[in-house]
Coordinates of all heavy atoms in Angstrom, one line a residue:
R1 N -3.4 -49.5 -53.2 CA -4.4 -48.6 -53.6 C -5.4 -48.4 -52.5 O -5.2 -49.0 -51.5 CB -5.2 -49.2 -54.9 CG -6.1 -50.3 -54.6 CD -6.8 -50.6 -55.8 NE -8.0 -51.3 -55.3 CZ -8.8 -52.1 -55.9 NH1 -8.6 -52.3 -57.2 NH2 -9.8 -52.7 -55.4
F2 N -6.2 -47.4 -52.6 CA -7.0 -47.0 -51.5 C -8.5 -46.9 -52.0 O -8.7 -46.6 -53.3 CB -6.7 -45.6 -50.9 CG -5.4 -45.6 -50.2 CD1 -4.1 -45.5 -50.9 CD2 -5.4 -45.8 -48.9 CE1 -3.0 -45.6 -50.3 CE2 -4.1 -45.9 -48.3 CZ -2.9 -45.8 -48.9
T3 N -9.5 -47.2 -51.1 CA -10.8 -47.1 -51.6 C -11.2 -45.6 -51.9 O -10.6 -44.7 -51.3 CB -11.8 -47.6 -50.5 OG1 -11.6 -46.8 -49.4 CG2 -11.6 -49.0 -50.3
S4 N -12.1 -45.3 -52.8 CA -12.3 -43.9 -53.2 C -13.2 -43.1 -52.2 O -12.8 -41.9 -52.1 CB -13.1 -44.0 -54.6 OG -14.3 -44.7 -54.4
Q5 N -14.0 -43.7 -51.5 CA -14.7 -42.9 -50.5 C -14.2 -42.8 -49.1 O -14.0 -41.7 -48.6 CB -16.2 -43.5 -50.4 CG -16.9 -43.4 -51.7 CD -18.4 -44.0 -51.5 OE1 -18.7 -44.6 -50.5 NE2 -19.2 -43.9 -52.6
A6 N -13.7 -43.9 -48.6 CA -13.2 -43.9 -47.2 C -11.7 -43.8 -47.1 O -11.2 -43.6 -46.1 CB -13.7 -45.1 -46.5
N7 N -11.1 -43.8 -48.2 CA -9.6 -43.7 -48.3 C -8.9 -44.8 -47.5 O -8.0 -44.5 -46.7 CB -9.0 -42.4 -48.0 CG -7.6 -42.1 -48.5 OD1 -7.3 -42.6 -49.6 ND2 -6.9 -41.3 -47.9
V8 N -9.4 -46.0 -47.6 CA -8.9 -47.2 -46.8 C -8.0 -47.9 -47.7 O -8.3 -48.3 -48.9 CB -10.1 -48.0 -46.2 CG1 -9.5 -49.3 -45.5 CG2 -10.9 -47.1 -45.2
A9 N -6.8 -48.4 -47.2 CA -5.9 -49.2 -48.0 C -6.5 -50.6 -48.3 O -7.1 -51.2 -47.4 CB -4.6 -49.4 -47.3
V10 N -6.4 -51.0 -49.5 CA -6.8 -52.4 -49.9 C -5.8 -52.9 -51.0 O -5.3 -52.2 -51.8 CB -8.2 -52.3 -50.5 CG1 -8.3 -51.4 -51.7 CG2 -8.7 -53.8 -50.8
T11 N -5.5 -54.2 -50.8 CA -4.6 -54.9 -51.7 C -5.2 -56.3 -52.1 O -5.8 -56.9 -51.2 CB -3.2 -55.2 -51.0 OG1 -2.6 -53.9 -50.7 CG2 -2.3 -56.0 -52.1
I12 N -5.2 -56.5 -53.4 CA -5.8 -57.7 -53.9 C -4.7 -58.5 -54.6 O -4.0 -57.9 -55.4 CB -7.1 -57.5 -54.8 CG1 -8.1 -56.7 -54.1 CG2 -7.6 -58.8 -55.4 CD1 -9.2 -56.1 -55.0
F13 N -4.6 -59.8 -54.4 CA -3.7 -60.6 -55.1 C -4.2 -62.1 -55.2 O -5.2 -62.4 -54.5 CB -2.3 -60.7 -54.5 CG -2.1 -61.2 -53.1 CD1 -1.9 -62.6 -52.9 CD2 -2.3 -60.3 -52.0 CE1 -1.8 -63.1 -51.6 CE2 -2.2 -60.8 -50.8 CZ -2.0 -62.2 -50.5
L14 N -3.7 -62.8 -56.2 CA -4.1 -64.2 -56.4 C -3.1 -65.1 -55.8 O -1.9 -65.0 -55.9 CB -4.2 -64.4 -57.9 CG -5.3 -63.7 -58.7 CD1 -5.3 -64.0 -60.1 CD2 -6.7 -63.8 -58.1
L15 N -3.7 -66.1 -55.1 CA -2.8 -67.1 -54.4 C -3.1 -68.5 -55.1 O -4.2 -69.0 -55.1 CB -3.1 -67.2 -52.9 CG -2.4 -68.1 -52.1 CD1 -1.0 -67.8 -51.9 CD2 -3.1 -68.2 -50.7
Q16 N -2.0 -69.1 -55.6 CA -2.2 -70.4 -56.2 C -1.8 -71.4 -55.2 O -0.7 -71.4 -54.6 CB -1.4 -70.6 -57.4 CG -2.0 -69.9 -58.6 CD -1.4 -70.4 -59.9 OE1 -0.1 -70.8 -60.1 NE2 -2.2 -70.5 -61.0
V17 N -2.7 -72.5 -55.0 CA -2.5 -73.5 -53.9 C -2.4 -74.9 -54.7 O -3.3 -75.1 -55.5 CB -3.6 -73.5 -53.0 CG1 -3.4 -74.5 -51.9 CG2 -3.7 -72.1 -52.3
P18 N -1.4 -75.7 -54.4 CA -1.4 -77.0 -55.1 C -2.5 -77.9 -54.6 O -3.0 -77.7 -53.5 CB -0.1 -77.6 -54.7 CG 0.7 -76.5 -54.0 CD -0.2 -75.5 -53.7
Q19 N -3.0 -78.7 -55.5 CA -4.1 -79.6 -55.2 C -3.7 -80.6 -54.1 O -2.4 -80.8 -54.0 CB -4.6 -80.3 -56.4 CG -5.3 -79.5 -57.3 CD -6.7 -79.1 -56.9 OE1 -7.3 -79.5 -56.0 NE2 -7.2 -78.1 -57.6
Q20 N -4.4 -81.1 -53.2 CA -4.1 -82.1 -52.3 C -3.4 -83.3 -53.0 O -3.8 -83.7 -54.1 CB -5.4 -82.7 -51.6 CG -5.6 -81.8 -50.4 CD -6.8 -82.5 -49.5 OE1 -7.6 -83.0 -50.1 NE2 -6.6 -82.3 -48.2
G21 N -2.5 -83.9 -52.3 CA -1.8 -85.1 -52.8 C -0.4 -84.7 -53.5 O 0.3 -85.6 -53.8
R22 N -0.2 -83.5 -53.6 CA 1.0 -83.0 -54.2 C 2.0 -82.7 -53.1 O 1.6 -82.2 -52.0 CB 0.8 -81.7 -55.1 CG 0.0 -81.9 -56.3 CD 0.8 -82.7 -57.3 NE 0.1 -82.9 -58.5 CZ 0.4 -83.6 -59.6 NH1 1.6 -84.3 -59.4 NH2 -0.3 -83.7 -60.5
K23 N 3.3 -82.9 -53.3 CA 4.2 -82.6 -52.3 C 4.8 -81.2 -52.7 O 4.9 -80.9 -53.8 CB 5.4 -83.7 -52.4 CG 4.8 -85.1 -51.9 CD 5.9 -86.1 -52.1 CE 5.4 -87.4 -51.6 NZ 6.4 -88.5 -51.9
A24 N 5.2 -80.5 -51.6 CA 5.8 -79.3 -51.8 C 7.1 -79.3 -52.6 O 7.8 -80.3 -52.5 CB 6.1 -78.6 -50.4
G25 N 7.2 -78.4 -53.6 CA 8.4 -78.4 -54.4 C 8.3 -79.3 -55.7 O 9.1 -79.2 -56.6
Q26 N 7.3 -80.1 -55.7 CA 7.1 -81.0 -56.9 C 6.5 -80.2 -58.1 O 5.5 -79.4 -57.9 CB 6.1 -82.2 -56.5 CG 5.9 -83.2 -57.6 CD 4.9 -84.2 -57.2 OE1 4.4 -84.3 -56.1 NE2 4.6 -85.2 -58.1
A27 N 7.0 -80.3 -59.3 CA 6.6 -79.6 -60.4 C 5.1 -80.1 -60.8 O 4.9 -81.3 -60.8 CB 7.5 -79.9 -61.6
T28 N 4.3 -79.1 -61.0 CA 2.9 -79.5 -61.4 C 2.5 -78.6 -62.5 O 3.0 -77.4 -62.7 CB 2.0 -79.3 -60.1 OG1 2.1 -77.9 -59.8 CG2 2.3 -80.1 -59.0
A29 N 1.5 -79.0 -63.2 CA 0.8 -78.2 -64.2 C -0.1 -77.3 -63.6 O -0.6 -77.4 -62.4 CB 0.1 -79.1 -65.2
D30 N -0.6 -76.2 -64.4 CA -1.4 -75.2 -63.8 C -2.8 -75.9 -63.4 O -3.5 -75.4 -62.5 CB -1.7 -74.2 -64.9 CG -0.6 -73.2 -65.1 OD1 0.3 -73.2 -64.0 OD2 -0.6 -72.5 -66.1
A31 N -3.2 -76.9 -64.1 CA -4.4 -77.6 -63.8 C -4.4 -78.3 -62.4 O -5.4 -78.6 -61.8 CB -4.8 -78.7 -64.8
D32 N -3.3 -78.4 -61.9 CA -3.0 -79.1 -60.6 C -3.1 -78.1 -59.4 O -2.7 -78.4 -58.3 CB -1.7 -79.9 -60.5 CG -1.7 -81.1 -61.4 OD1 -2.8 -81.5 -61.8 OD2 -0.6 -81.5 -61.8
H33 N -3.5 -76.9 -59.7 CA -3.6 -75.8 -58.7 C -5.0 -75.3 -58.7 O -5.7 -75.4 -59.7 CB -2.6 -74.6 -59.0 CG -1.2 -75.0 -58.8 ND1 -0.5 -75.7 -59.8 CD2 -0.3 -74.6 -57.8 CE1 0.8 -75.8 -59.3 NE2 0.8 -75.2 -58.2
F34 N -5.3 -74.7 -57.5 CA -6.6 -73.9 -57.5 C -6.2 -72.5 -57.1 O -5.1 -72.3 -56.4 CB -7.8 -74.4 -56.8 CG -7.5 -74.6 -55.3 CD1 -7.9 -73.6 -54.4 CD2 -7.0 -75.7 -54.7 CE1 -7.7 -73.7 -53.0 CE2 -6.8 -75.8 -53.4 CZ -7.2 -74.9 -52.5
T35 N -6.9 -71.5 -57.5 CA -6.6 -70.1 -57.3 C -7.5 -69.5 -56.4 O -8.7 -69.5 -56.6 CB -6.5 -69.4 -58.7 OG1 -5.5 -70.0 -59.5 CG2 -6.1 -68.0 -58.5
L36 N -7.0 -68.7 -55.4 CA -7.8 -68.0 -54.5 C -7.5 -66.5 -54.7 O -6.3 -66.1 -54.7 CB -7.5 -68.3 -53.0 CG -7.8 -69.8 -52.6 CD1 -7.2 -70.0 -51.2 CD2 -9.3 -70.0 -52.6
K37 N -8.5 -65.7 -54.6 CA -8.4 -64.2 -54.7 C -8.3 -63.8 -53.3 O -9.2 -64.1 -52.4 CB -9.6 -63.6 -55.4 CG -9.6 -62.0 -55.5 CD -10.8 -61.6 -56.1 CE -11.0 -60.1 -56.0 NZ -12.2 -59.7 -56.7
V38 N -7.2 -63.1 -52.9 CA -7.0 -62.6 -51.5 C -7.1 -61.2 -51.4 O -6.6 -60.4 -52.2 CB -5.6 -63.1 -51.0 CG1 -5.4 -62.6 -49.6 CG2 -5.5 -64.6 -51.0
V39 N -8.1 -60.7 -50.5 CA -8.2 -59.3 -50.3 C -7.8 -58.9 -48.9 O -8.2 -59.4 -47.9 CB -9.7 -58.8 -50.4 CG1 -9.9 -57.3 -50.4 CG2 -10.2 -59.4 -51.8
C40 N -6.8 -58.0 -48.8 CA -6.3 -57.4 -47.5 C -6.7 -56.0 -47.3 O -6.7 -55.2 -48.3 CB -4.8 -57.5 -47.5 SG -4.1 -59.1 -47.8
W41 N -7.1 -55.6 -46.1 CA -7.5 -54.3 -45.8 C -6.6 -53.7 -44.8 O -6.0 -54.2 -44.0 CB -8.9 -54.3 -45.2 CG -10.0 -54.8 -46.2 CD1 -10.4 -56.1 -46.4 CD2 -10.7 -54.1 -47.1 NE1 -11.4 -56.1 -47.4 CE2 -11.5 -54.9 -47.8 CE3 -10.7 -52.7 -47.4 CZ2 -12.3 -54.5 -48.8 CZ3 -11.5 -52.3 -48.4 CH2 -12.3 -53.2 -49.2
R42 N -6.6 -52.3 -44.8 CA -5.9 -51.4 -43.9 C -4.4 -51.7 -43.8 O -3.7 -51.8 -44.7 CB -6.6 -51.3 -42.5 CG -8.0 -50.8 -42.7 CD -8.9 -50.8 -41.3 NE -10.1 -50.2 -41.5 CZ -11.2 -51.0 -42.0 NH1 -11.1 -52.1 -42.5 NH2 -12.4 -50.3 -42.2
N43 N -3.9 -51.9 -42.5 CA -2.5 -52.1 -42.3 C -2.0 -53.3 -43.0 O -0.8 -53.3 -43.5 CB -2.2 -52.1 -40.8 CG -2.4 -50.8 -40.1 OD1 -2.5 -49.8 -40.8 ND2 -2.5 -50.9 -38.8
L44 N -2.7 -54.4 -43.0 CA -2.3 -55.6 -43.7 C -2.2 -55.4 -45.2 O -1.2 -55.9 -45.8 CB -3.3 -56.8 -43.4 CG -2.9 -58.1 -44.0 CD1 -1.6 -58.5 -43.5 CD2 -4.0 -59.1 -43.6
A45 N -3.1 -54.6 -45.8 CA -3.0 -54.2 -47.1 C -1.7 -53.5 -47.5 O -1.1 -53.7 -48.5 CB -4.2 -53.4 -47.6
E46 N -1.3 -52.6 -46.6 CA 0.0 -51.8 -46.8 C 1.2 -52.8 -46.8 O 2.1 -52.7 -47.5 CB 0.0 -50.7 -46.0 CG -1.0 -49.6 -46.2 CD -1.0 -48.5 -45.3 OE1 0.1 -48.2 -44.7 OE2 -2.0 -47.8 -45.1
A47 N 1.2 -53.7 -45.8 CA 2.2 -54.6 -45.7 C 2.3 -55.6 -46.9 O 3.3 -56.1 -47.2 CB 2.1 -55.4 -44.4
A48 N 1.1 -56.1 -47.4 CA 1.0 -57.1 -48.4 C 1.6 -56.5 -49.8 O 2.0 -57.3 -50.6 CB -0.4 -57.5 -48.6
T49 N 1.7 -55.2 -49.9 CA 2.4 -54.6 -51.1 C 3.8 -55.1 -51.3 O 4.4 -55.0 -52.3 CB 2.2 -53.1 -51.2 OG1 3.0 -52.6 -50.0 CG2 0.8 -52.7 -51.2
A50 N 4.4 -55.6 -50.3 CA 5.9 -56.0 -50.3 C 6.0 -57.4 -50.8 O 7.1 -57.9 -50.9 CB 6.5 -55.9 -48.8
L51 N 4.8 -58.2 -51.0 CA 4.9 -59.5 -51.4 C 5.3 -59.6 -53.0 O 4.9 -58.7 -53.7 CB 3.6 -60.2 -51.3 CG 3.1 -60.5 -49.8 CD1 1.7 -61.0 -49.8 CD2 4.0 -61.4 -49.2
H52 N 6.0 -60.7 -53.3 CA 6.3 -60.8 -54.7 C 6.0 -62.3 -55.0 O 5.8 -63.2 -54.2 CB 8.0 -60.7 -54.8 CG 8.4 -59.4 -54.4 ND1 8.2 -58.2 -55.2 CD2 9.1 -59.0 -53.3 CE1 8.8 -57.2 -54.6 NE2 9.3 -57.6 -53.5
K53 N 5.9 -62.5 -56.4 CA 5.6 -63.8 -56.9 C 6.5 -64.9 -56.3 O 7.7 -64.7 -56.4 CB 5.6 -63.8 -58.4 CG 5.2 -65.1 -59.1 CD 5.2 -65.0 -60.6 CE 4.6 -66.3 -61.1 NZ 4.5 -66.2 -62.6
G54 N 5.9 -66.0 -55.8 CA 6.8 -67.0 -55.2 C 6.9 -66.9 -53.8 O 7.4 -68.0 -53.1
D55 N 6.5 -65.8 -53.1 CA 6.8 -65.6 -51.6 C 5.7 -66.6 -51.0 O 4.6 -66.8 -51.4 CB 6.5 -64.2 -51.2 CG 7.5 -63.3 -51.5 OD1 8.6 -63.7 -52.0 OD2 7.4 -62.1 -51.4
A56 N 6.2 -67.1 -49.9 CA 5.3 -68.0 -49.1 C 4.4 -67.0 -48.1 O 4.9 -66.1 -47.6 CB 6.1 -69.0 -48.2
V57 N 3.1 -67.4 -48.1 CA 2.2 -66.6 -47.2 C 1.2 -67.5 -46.5 O 1.1 -68.7 -46.8 CB 1.3 -65.6 -48.1 CG1 2.2 -64.6 -48.8 CG2 0.5 -66.4 -49.1
A58 N 0.9 -67.0 -45.3 CA -0.2 -67.7 -44.5 C -1.4 -66.8 -44.5 O -1.3 -65.6 -44.4 CB 0.4 -67.9 -43.2
V59 N -2.5 -67.5 -44.8 CA -3.7 -66.7 -45.0 C -4.8 -67.2 -43.8 O -4.9 -68.4 -43.6 CB -4.4 -67.0 -46.3 CG1 -5.7 -66.2 -46.5 CG2 -3.4 -66.5 -47.3
D60 N -5.3 -66.2 -43.2 CA -6.3 -66.5 -42.1 C -7.5 -65.5 -42.3 O -7.3 -64.3 -42.5 CB -5.8 -66.2 -40.8 CG -6.7 -66.4 -39.6 OD1 -7.5 -67.4 -39.7 OD2 -6.5 -65.7 -38.6
G61 N -8.8 -66.0 -42.4 CA -9.9 -65.2 -42.6 C -11.0 -66.0 -43.1 O -11.1 -67.3 -43.0
K62 N -12.0 -65.3 -43.8 CA -13.2 -65.9 -44.3 C -13.0 -66.4 -45.7 O -12.3 -65.7 -46.5 CB -14.4 -64.9 -44.4 CG -14.7 -64.5 -43.0 CD -15.8 -63.5 -43.0 CE -16.2 -62.9 -41.6 NZ -17.2 -61.9 -41.7
L63 N -13.5 -67.5 -46.0 CA -13.4 -68.0 -47.4 C -14.8 -67.9 -48.0 O -15.8 -68.4 -47.5 CB -13.0 -69.5 -47.5 CG -12.8 -70.2 -48.9 CD1 -11.7 -69.3 -49.8 CD2 -12.5 -71.6 -48.8
M64 N -14.9 -67.1 -49.2 CA -16.3 -66.9 -49.8 C -16.3 -67.5 -51.2 O -15.2 -67.5 -51.9 CB -16.5 -65.4 -49.8 CG -16.6 -64.9 -48.4 SD -16.8 -63.0 -48.5 CE -18.1 -62.8 -49.4
L65 N -17.3 -67.9 -51.7 CA -17.5 -68.4 -53.0 C -18.5 -67.4 -53.8 O -19.6 -67.2 -53.3 CB -18.1 -69.8 -53.0 CG -18.4 -70.3 -54.5 CD1 -17.2 -70.4 -55.3 CD2 -19.1 -71.7 -54.4
N66 N -17.9 -66.6 -54.7 CA -18.7 -65.6 -55.4 C -19.1 -66.2 -56.8 O -18.3 -66.9 -57.4 CB -17.9 -64.4 -55.6 CG -17.5 -63.7 -54.3 OD1 -18.4 -63.7 -53.5 ND2 -16.5 -63.1 -54.2
T67 N -20.2 -65.9 -57.2 CA -20.8 -66.4 -58.5 C -21.2 -65.1 -59.4 O -21.7 -64.1 -58.9 CB -22.0 -67.2 -58.3 OG1 -21.7 -68.3 -57.5 CG2 -22.5 -67.8 -59.7
A68 N -20.7 -65.2 -60.6 CA -20.9 -64.0 -61.5 C -21.3 -64.7 -62.9 O -21.0 -65.8 -63.2 CB -19.7 -63.2 -61.7
T69 N -22.0 -63.9 -63.7 CA -22.5 -64.3 -65.0 C -21.6 -63.5 -66.0 O -21.5 -62.4 -66.0 CB -23.9 -64.0 -65.2 OG1 -24.7 -64.7 -64.2 CG2 -24.4 -64.5 -66.5
T70 N -21.0 -64.3 -66.9 CA -20.1 -63.7 -68.0 C -21.1 -63.1 -69.0 O -22.2 -63.3 -69.1 CB -19.2 -64.7 -68.6 OG1 -20.1 -65.6 -69.3 CG2 -18.3 -65.5 -67.7
P71 N -20.5 -62.2 -69.9 CA -21.3 -61.5 -71.0 C -21.9 -62.6 -71.8 O -22.9 -62.4 -72.5 CB -20.3 -60.7 -71.7 CG -19.2 -60.4 -70.7 CD -19.1 -61.6 -69.8
E72 N -21.3 -63.9 -71.9 CA -21.8 -65.0 -72.7 C -23.0 -65.7 -72.1 O -23.5 -66.6 -72.6 CB -20.7 -65.9 -73.2 CG -19.6 -65.3 -74.0 CD -18.6 -64.5 -73.2 OE1 -18.4 -64.8 -72.0 OE2 -18.0 -63.6 -73.8
G73 N -23.3 -65.4 -70.8 CA -24.4 -66.0 -70.0 C -23.9 -67.2 -69.3 O -24.8 -67.9 -68.7
M74 N -22.6 -67.5 -69.1 CA -22.1 -68.6 -68.3 C -21.9 -68.2 -66.8 O -21.5 -67.0 -66.6 CB -20.8 -69.2 -68.9 CG -20.9 -69.7 -70.4 SD -19.5 -70.3 -71.0 CE -19.1 -71.6 -69.8
Q75 N -22.2 -69.1 -66.0 CA -21.9 -68.8 -64.6 C -20.5 -69.1 -64.3 O -19.9 -70.2 -64.6 CB -22.8 -69.8 -63.7 CG -24.3 -69.5 -63.8 CD -24.6 -68.2 -63.0 OE1 -24.0 -67.8 -62.0 NE2 -25.6 -67.5 -63.4
K76 N -19.8 -68.2 -63.6 CA -18.4 -68.4 -63.2 C -18.3 -68.2 -61.7 O -18.9 -67.3 -61.1 CB -17.5 -67.3 -63.9 CG -16.1 -67.4 -63.6 CD -15.3 -66.4 -64.4 CE -13.9 -66.6 -64.0 NZ -13.0 -65.6 -64.8
K77 N -17.6 -69.2 -61.0 CA -17.5 -69.1 -59.6 C -16.0 -68.9 -59.3 O -15.1 -69.3 -60.0 CB -17.9 -70.6 -59.0 CG -19.4 -70.8 -59.2 CD -19.8 -72.1 -58.6 CE -21.3 -72.3 -58.9 NZ -21.7 -73.6 -58.3
Q78 N -15.8 -68.1 -58.2 CA -14.5 -67.8 -57.7 C -14.4 -67.7 -56.3 O -15.2 -67.2 -55.6 CB -14.0 -66.4 -58.3 CG -12.6 -66.0 -57.9 CD -12.3 -64.8 -58.5 OE1 -13.0 -63.9 -58.7 NE2 -11.0 -64.6 -58.7
F79 N -13.5 -68.4 -55.7 CA -13.2 -68.4 -54.3 C -12.5 -67.1 -54.0 O -11.6 -66.6 -54.7 CB -12.4 -69.5 -53.8 CG -13.2 -70.8 -53.7 CD1 -13.0 -71.8 -54.6 CD2 -14.2 -71.0 -52.6 CE1 -13.7 -72.9 -54.6 CE2 -14.7 -72.2 -52.6 CZ -14.6 -73.1 -53.5
E80 N -12.9 -66.4 -52.8 CA -12.3 -65.2 -52.4 C -12.1 -65.2 -50.9 O -13.0 -65.6 -50.2 CB -13.1 -64.0 -52.9 CG -12.6 -62.7 -52.5 CD -13.5 -61.6 -52.9 OE1 -13.8 -61.5 -54.2 OE2 -13.9 -60.7 -52.2

């Protein structure tokens, strides 16, 4: 997809990472993962559209912690 004003390519996907102490390939429950929201811009965003569930990726960039309030008034934090 592209931004509405500048027409810049952007791709957003979720990356699940096993918690420390887990070995690669070991079956784990969802609670044993943490989820990162990954945002790619421009040429990288266009290349990222070729990714599929289960593909291995390497991520380099800034890690941000965003906080939002749900309609019920609870604070929700998400890494991005």
Side-chain angles (χ1 to χ4, degrees):
R1 74 175 202 195
F2 293 85
T3 60
S4 58
Q5 294 180 355
N7 202 33
V8 174
V10 61
T11 299
I12 300 171
F13 62 92
L14 298 178
L15 176 67
Q16 282 196 329
V17 181
Q19 293 285 347
Q20 274 188 320
R22 294 288 183 185
K23 295 179 182 172
Q26 182 179 1
T28 59
D30 287 341
D32 293 335
H33 290 79
F34 64 92
T35 303
L36 296 172
K37 179 180 171 185
V38 179
V39 182
C40 302
W41 295 93
R42 297 179 179 79
N43 292 343
L44 184 57
E46 293 180 24
T49 60
L51 293 174
H52 300 287
K53 185 175 181 177
D55 286 349
V57 297
V59 178
D60 180 31
K62 297 178 184 176
L63 182 62
M64 298 171 56
L65 178 60
N66 294 328
T67 304
T69 304
T70 65
E72 295 81 24
M74 298 181 61
Q75 291 286 330
K76 183 176 180 180
K77 295 180 181 179
Q78 180 181 28
F79 285 104
E80 178 177 310

